[in-house]
């Protein structure tokens, strides 16, 4: 009988080969288990997206604050007196300005939906 190529030459080598194969099999099983863990992967992905959204929120707030300061400075320097007063009041009390803007968006969406529902264009 001929010995297969790449086979163990003795019992010690065979044991080493078996241990190496067991290790490789263990790694393969761990990889497959990780891929089969859909819930775990989804939670990890959700955490990554939450982190990215948080970073983006911080960046957008910073950009908005810079833009607001820039607009306030320009309005204070060059705008007519009534415009400057309104802009400065809006900067001191941004919540009512944002609420008025949101209400305007809601009204606009309602009008568009009403027109679509009644066949108006």
């Amino acid at each position: 009988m001929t010995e297969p190529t790449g086979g163990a030459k003795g019992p010690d080598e065979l044991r080493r080969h078996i241990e190496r194969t067991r290790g490789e099999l263990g790694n393969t099983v761990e990889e497959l288990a990780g891929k089969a863990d859909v819930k775990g992967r989804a939670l990890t992905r959700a955490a990554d997206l939450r982190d990215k959204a948080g970073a983006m929120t911080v960046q957008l707030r910073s950009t908005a604050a810079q833009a607001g300061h820039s607009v306030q400075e320009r309005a204070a320097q060059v705008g007519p007196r009534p415009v400057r007063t309104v802009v400065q009041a809006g900067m001191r009390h941004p919540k009512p300005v944002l609420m008025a803007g949101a209400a305007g968006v809601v009204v606009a969406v309602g009008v568009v939906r009403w027109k679509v529902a009644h066949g108006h264009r």
Side-chain angles (χ1 to χ4, degrees):
M1 251 176 114
T2 58
E3 190 168 314
T5 56
K9 302 285 190 252
D12 290 336
E13 189 175 341
L14 181 59
R15 284 186 191 96
R16 285 192 300 272
H17 182 71
I18 289 171
E19 289 302 316
R20 186 175 52 248
T21 302
R22 280 183 183 158
E24 291 171 1
L25 182 60
N27 292 339
T28 301
V29 169
E30 284 182 32
E31 286 180 30
L32 290 174
K35 289 181 180 181
D37 184 14
V38 175
K39 183 178 178 181
R41 288 174 45 206
L43 291 174
T44 300
R45 179 73 174 140
D48 290 345
L49 291 175
R50 225 181 353 264
D51 291 345
K52 286 180 183 178
M56 193 175 293
T57 300
V58 169
Q59 184 179 2
L60 288 174
R61 283 183 180 166
S62 173
T63 302
Q66 290 173 351
H69 291 301
S70 176
V71 167
Q72 183 181 15
E73 289 173 6
R74 278 190 248 141
Q77 293 172 359
V78 297
R81 183 78 180 142
V83 172
R84 279 186 286 178
T85 304
V86 170
V87 169
Q88 288 171 347
M91 293 303 290
R92 282 192 306 272
H93 307 287
K95 195 177 250 183
V97 174
L98 292 173
M99 290 175 65
V105 169
V106 169
V107 169
V109 168
V111 168
V112 169
R113 290 185 74 185
W114 182 84
K115 283 185 173 185
V116 169
H118 292 89
H120 297 293
R121 290 189 181 203

